[in-house]
Amino acid sequence: QSVLTQPPSASGTPGQRVTISCSGSSSNIGSNSVNWYQQLPGTAPKLLIHTDNQRPSGVPDRFSGSKSGTSASLAISGLQSEDEAYYYCATWHDSLSGLHVFGTGTKVTVL
Amino acid sequence: QVQLQESGPGLVKPSETLSLTCTVSGGPLTGYYWTWIRQPPGKGLAWIGYIFSSGITNYHPSLKSRVTISVDTSKNQFSLKLSSVTAADTAVYYCARLDIVVGEGQDYGMDVWGRGTTVTVSS
């Protein structure tokens, strides 16, 4: 079982803003940066946000990340139908020589 | 751009060893960390371990006794071996490039992924 807890689901209508939380502890999120991955149906995950709030080249600025204490969040503004996917947060337990952990995953549905 | 491709048997018998290879093309293997992740049917992502191009490894504690990740820089490949498999090891296995600087504690994420390969453990 994952040590990073995410809500199992989130939803919104096109154009709305959706926020996904990722709750951890002082040993993981509280000590290391957080990355977010998007997994579209039937495909490999894709890096969406790295180092808490940085978007890789090519990722729309509708996606934004933040972190505070032992929790992190991913926000999707201007929700689009193609954003329907699973989203996973990820970080390390203790250090980068330790255990890498993924969140439990959140299914975003566009209504 | 860098591309990754997993290869290996799609069916493995219980108690045997699962062996997969990830071929790196379009860029160097040297100087980077490389990782394996798996996803059981209908479940979330699970990290297996990583290897640096020099051969330094780090494994998930729960798999440490059964897993070996190795690298062959001459072939631009890295590999996964998981011994004594059971049905619980049935999953889609992904390889990915892990952009980290361990000494500085910098993690820029798994920025390149293979498409994944399905491995079923069954007799």
Side-chain angles (χ1 to χ4, degrees):
Chain A
Q1 58 276 32
S2 175
V3 296
L4 302 181
T5 303
Q6 300 179 232
S9 63
S11 63
T13 57
Q16 280 191 327
R17 175 183 171 92
V18 169
T19 302
I20 301 166
S21 62
C22 175
S23 178
S25 71
S26 58
S27 299
N28 43 63
I29 293 177
S31 305
N32 299 285
S33 62
V34 176
N35 302 323
W36 289 89
Y37 299 89
Q38 176 194 57
Q39 187 174 30
L40 297 170
T43 70
K46 168 191 168 184
L47 180 63
L48 202 62
I49 297 286
H50 69 79
T51 328
D52 299 336
N53 55 22
Q54 301 299 302
R55 283 186 309 277
S57 175
V59 173
D61 59 6
R62 305 185 289 104
F63 295 93
S64 61
S66 63
K67 189 181 86 170
S68 178
T70 60
S71 294
S73 293
L74 174 71
I76 311 172
S77 58
L79 192 65
Q80 298 184 5
S81 58
E82 56 261 39
D83 299 333
E84 189 159 292
Y86 276 91
Y87 294 83
Y88 296 91
C89 58
T91 188
W92 297 84
H93 191 79
D94 290 334
S95 73
L96 274 58
S97 300
L99 171 65
H100 183 278
V101 288
F102 286 102
T104 50
T106 299
K107 173 65 186 299
V108 169
T109 301
V110 182
L111 302 171
Chain B
Q1 79 254 27
V2 178
Q3 293 185 315
L4 306 182
Q5 178 66 59
E6 304 91 347
S7 58
L11 181 64
V12 181
K13 290 183 167 54
S15 79
E16 295 190 343
T17 296
L18 178 161
S19 295
L20 297 174
T21 295
C22 183
T23 301
V24 181
S25 60
L29 181 148
T30 303
Y32 286 94
Y33 286 83
W34 304 92
T35 189
W36 288 96
I37 304 96
R38 67 181 182 178
Q39 186 170 33
K43 296 190 178 180
L45 303 171
W47 178 72
I48 297 171
Y50 70 58
I51 189 165
F52 187 57
S53 55
S54 66
I56 296 171
T57 56
N58 180 24
Y59 301 136
H60 193 294
S62 70
L63 297 173
K64 199 169 186 176
S65 63
R66 298 196 293 131
V67 70
T68 301
I69 299 176
S70 59
V71 64
D72 186 337
T73 54
S74 66
K75 294 182 179 179
N76 246 33
Q77 295 176 334
F78 63 103
S79 298
L80 169 71
K81 289 189 186 300
L82 184 66
S83 64
S84 305
V85 297
T86 69
D89 296 308
T90 293
V92 175
Y93 285 76
Y94 295 100
C95 60
R97 187 174 74 176
L98 179 57
D99 191 0
I100 60 173
V101 184
V102 173
E104 298 177 8
Q106 296 295 322
D107 175 17
Y108 304 104
M110 299 172 187
D111 62 346
V112 183
W113 291 69
R115 290 187 174 184
T117 188
T118 300
V119 178
T120 301
V121 178
S122 175
S123 54

